[in-house]
Amino acid sequence: MSTLLEHYRRRQPQILDLIRELVERETTSREAARLTEIARFVAAQLQPLASELELIDQPGYGTHLRARFHFGHTAAEAHTLVMGHLDTVWRVGTLQRLPFRISDQGTAHGPGIFDMKSGIAVAIEALRTLAEHQLATRHPVTLLLTCDEEIGSLTSRPLIEEEAGRATAALVLEPPIPGPAVKTARKGIAGFKLRAIGRSAHAGLDPSQGINAIVELSHQAIRLTALNDFERGTTVSVGLISGGTAINVVPAEATAQVDIRFWTLEEWARIEQEIRHLRPVLPGAQLEIEGSLNRPPMPRSEQNAALYEHARQLAAEFGFELKEGGVGGGSDGNFTAAMGVPTLDGLGVNGAGAHAEHEHIVLADIPRCATLLTRLLQTV
């Protein structure tokens, strides 16, 4: 284990160069050409190492990458699934304002570096080390990098579930809880759109003839907010709202988009029932409600806990105390866990600031992260 850790310490400059290459390829969700380009770039890194390599085009979204590494096993065997995503939340052009940089405090900064391009770079390096040094693995390995995780895995979910169906475990390259700590539980996520329909009228001449859709939607926003139950860990957030056509017109239409998070499917069923039974407050107003479950919750199951305990013991072998936790954000690990696949999330490089302007990684954590992932691939 110490030999492996030293190997990655020597390789840290090369890993950091790869991280920079990935960060400086801006890959906003739905920027299909850019996401296809980065998938091809990663494929070029993996081509000499992989037993099978496939680029799966998704028009309008980009390209998914699936690479299989047999490592002396047969293709028919159950595999260890490693998952990540190539898309980020950062708009194209952000690099001009927030360029890749290394600080005097031993951190590296840049849009998407923590979530999750450093994790992808570490996975490439771990697979390279296993292949070039002919290190044994317990199972063949499949690396799946998708192009639409940040927008709900709209095209990738069937592919994720297909691969999970033959996986012994799922290792997710998402960033860790700062510290770092891996993630053994995640909340489920659902989204709703509410459309209030009123009646337009001149705001000065005959406002009494109108039905103000924005006012109706405001009533509904208050009702939705009342569904928050922080003790249960349930959050209902009205995150986007729009409506009206002009300041002097009573608005005939308004919409709101709602984010919902919860720890259990039972809680989701309760909240869904409450939302679908919302009724208009203003006389004559109408309310249209649409929405669905996006990601099921990832509970701290016995399988997840056992996989964490195995990882904790591996980390202890090279002097690192690996902690765990649960978070409100979702990932593709929610899908694998829901299928009963032991799932360990948050295996990326330590840092902070996911989706925030201070996004960064801790350089000294790169060898630790690569060592743990390699040992997991050898033993899971």
Side-chain angles (χ1 to χ4, degrees):
M1 184 72 84
S2 60
T3 301
L4 193 58
L5 185 63
E6 285 303 317
H7 165 76
Y8 285 123
R9 284 175 176 158
R10 291 191 300 271
R11 290 284 300 170
Q12 181 167 317
Q14 289 79 15
I15 301 171
L16 187 57
D17 286 344
L18 180 55
I19 292 171
R20 180 171 189 160
E21 287 244 32
L22 295 172
V23 169
E24 291 184 343
R25 285 171 160 83
E26 294 184 288
T27 51
T28 314
S29 302
R30 291 194 174 93
E31 289 282 349
R34 290 174 175 272
L35 284 156
T36 294
E37 191 277 332
I38 199 172
R40 290 174 178 166
F41 171 79
V42 173
Q45 310 300 309
L46 297 173
Q47 186 69 56
L49 313 171
S51 305
E52 303 173 40
L53 188 61
E54 185 178 6
L55 293 171
I56 305 166
D57 184 47
Q58 300 295 322
Y61 293 91
T63 299
H64 306 314
L65 183 154
R66 177 168 55 193
R68 302 197 193 279
F69 304 82
H70 294 166
F71 294 129
H73 301 277
T74 67
E77 291 182 50
H79 63 177
T80 302
L81 177 60
V82 181
M83 298 192 299
H85 61 87
L86 298 164
D87 61 324
T88 76
V89 300
W90 295 99
R91 292 183 179 181
V92 173
T94 301
L95 270 173
Q96 296 178 10
R97 183 170 55 83
L98 299 173
F100 177 91
R101 65 182 177 89
I102 297 173
S103 76
D104 294 337
Q105 287 74 44
T107 55
H109 300 245
I113 194 168
F114 184 52
D115 187 13
M116 54 173 288
K117 290 184 175 178
S118 58
I120 292 171
V122 164
I124 294 170
E125 183 67 20
L127 291 163
R128 178 181 289 118
T129 297
L130 288 165
E132 292 181 351
H133 293 266
Q134 299 182 334
L135 301 179
T137 62
R138 187 173 179 184
H139 297 283
V141 175
T142 296
L143 175 66
L144 181 61
L145 302 178
T146 63
C147 66
D148 61 358
E149 191 272 348
E150 293 289 5
I151 53 173
S153 306
L154 301 175
T155 69
S156 56
R157 181 173 181 175
L159 188 60
I160 293 163
E161 293 179 338
E162 174 190 342
E163 295 301 325
R166 51 188 292 269
T168 60
L171 305 177
V172 187
L173 302 169
E174 290 282 350
I177 300 169
V182 292
K183 301 166 183 176
T184 51
R186 285 183 178 272
K187 290 184 181 181
I189 303 174
F192 274 91
K193 182 178 180 180
L194 272 66
R195 178 172 175 250
I197 303 170
R199 184 169 60 238
S200 62
H202 194 293
L205 297 178
D206 54 356
S208 64
Q209 298 305 305
I211 302 172
N212 193 313
I214 290 177
V215 172
E216 175 60 44
L217 201 59
S218 299
H219 284 290
Q220 301 301 332
I222 293 169
R223 287 178 166 181
L224 289 165
T225 301
L227 296 176
N228 279 286
D229 189 332
F230 299 125
E231 288 188 4
R232 294 187 186 183
T234 302
T235 59
V236 181
S237 174
V238 181
L240 289 173
I241 194 164
S242 63
T245 56
I247 193 171
N248 60 345
V249 178
V250 175
E253 185 174 324
T255 61
Q257 296 185 48
V258 187
D259 177 275
I260 303 154
R261 313 263 169 154
F262 41 87
W263 284 117
T264 67
L265 286 173
E266 292 76 14
E267 181 66 356
W268 154 241
R270 183 185 74 82
I271 292 294
E272 181 185 25
Q273 185 83 348
E274 293 277 1
I275 292 176
R276 294 200 185 278
H277 283 81
L278 291 172
R279 295 294 179 263
V281 173
L282 301 182
Q286 301 174 56
L287 194 62
E288 295 179 353
I289 302 171
E290 60 182 48
S292 62
L293 179 68
N294 174 253
R295 298 183 192 276
M298 172 181 155
R300 190 186 184 280
S301 63
E302 291 184 8
Q303 299 99 312
N304 291 357
L307 184 54
Y308 159 70
E309 179 59 25
H310 177 69
R312 189 191 66 77
Q313 292 176 10
L314 290 175
E317 290 177 13
F318 60 97
F320 182 77
E321 182 184 0
L322 185 66
K323 298 181 180 180
E324 64 161 324
V327 295
S331 82
D332 289 335
N334 290 59
F335 299 133
T336 57
M339 294 177 64
V341 178
T343 300
L344 191 61
D345 205 332
L347 288 168
V349 182
N350 188 33
H355 302 190
E357 296 207 356
H358 66 285
E359 183 172 5
H360 66 274
I361 60 169
V362 177
L363 298 179
D365 192 58
I366 292 174
R368 189 278 316 170
C369 179
T371 301
L372 179 59
L373 180 61
T374 304
R375 291 292 290 138
L376 284 166
L377 293 176
Q378 288 184 291
T379 58
V380 168

